[in-house]
Amino acid sequence: MIYVTGDRVQAYQVRSAVFDTRWRGLDPVQVRDYLSRVADEMDRLHRELATARTESERVRQALRQWQSRHNGCRRRGHDA
């Protein structure tokens, strides 16, 4: 059974999804294979997002350091 919540769907939830069977329904092997591919893609995207967030934080910190080192540069230039 698929449960809909306000939470984000996780890859393990896709992999463990169970569907009711119906007469002349979809091929369960094809459904399982497709869900596995979707879950693998979700895992890949989550890893890429984590990497992007780490890089973003690194750039943010480098910018703060640069701004701290050059904070007085503009003021001195205006005083001249």
Side-chain angles (χ1 to χ4, degrees), residues 49-61:
L49 179 59
T51 299
R53 285 179 174 159
T54 300
E55 179 65 9
S56 172
E57 182 58 29
R58 187 191 68 73
V59 169
R60 196 175 298 121
Q61 288 176 3

Side-chain angles (χ1 to χ4, degrees), residues 5-72:
T5 66
D7 297 330
R8 292 182 179 185
V9 176
Q10 300 295 317
Y12 77 89
Q13 293 169 313
V14 173
R15 284 190 181 91
S16 65
V18 177
F19 300 90
D20 296 333
T21 56
R22 298 280 187 255
W23 182 71
R24 299 185 71 140
L26 300 174
D27 180 345
V29 173
Q30 287 179 339
V31 171
R32 181 62 44 210
D33 288 347
Y34 184 75
L35 290 176
S36 180
R37 289 177 53 207
V38 169
D40 290 346
E41 181 68 6
M42 289 176 69
D43 281 337
R44 185 186 67 76
L45 292 171
H46 283 291
R47 285 191 305 273
E48 284 185 12
L49 179 59
T51 299
R53 285 179 174 159
T54 300
E55 179 65 9
S56 172
E57 182 58 29
R58 187 191 68 73
V59 169
R60 196 175 298 121
Q61 288 176 3
L63 177 59
R64 282 189 204 121
Q65 290 173 356
W66 184 89
Q67 287 172 328
S68 293
R69 285 193 308 266
H70 295 87
N71 192 23

